[in-house]
Amino acid sequence: MNKETVKNIRKNYNMNQRNFAQAVNCSFSLIVLVEVGKRRVTKNLEDKIKQAFQLNDHDLKTLQG
């Protein structure tokens, strides 16, 4: 998962960064840093996003940037 995928998932669910961070159970600043490319998407963050939005690998492929 990359920063574009995170942004696409967030936009697909019509969420701002703060609401997305709350849904994923991580900090707002982490989402901001990921989306601007200053932090990478860790396996832990990817798992949290998948779980929060009930996404499987097929869903991710359609949302990838």
Side-chain angles (χ1 to χ4, degrees):
M1 184 179 293
N2 59 30
K3 68 181 186 176
E4 287 84 14
T5 305
V6 172
K7 195 174 207 174
N8 288 342
I9 293 168
R10 180 175 64 76
K11 288 186 173 193
N12 188 60
Y13 285 90
N14 296 315
M15 300 179 95
N16 62 32
Q17 291 172 324
R18 192 168 303 281
N19 292 340
F20 185 81
Q22 289 173 342
V24 174
N25 195 28
C26 71
S27 70
F28 165 69
S29 60
L30 175 61
I31 298 303
V32 172
L33 291 171
V34 164
E35 288 192 9
V36 298
K38 294 195 180 225
R39 291 282 302 269
R40 66 181 187 83
V41 180
T42 63
K43 178 71 172 138
N44 184 43
L45 179 58
E46 182 175 341
D47 290 343
K48 284 182 171 187
I49 292 170
K50 285 178 168 180
Q51 183 178 5
F53 297 99
Q54 299 177 350
L55 300 172
N56 59 36
D57 291 334
H58 175 73
D59 297 329
L60 288 178
K61 285 185 194 247
T62 63
L63 293 165
Q64 280 183 333

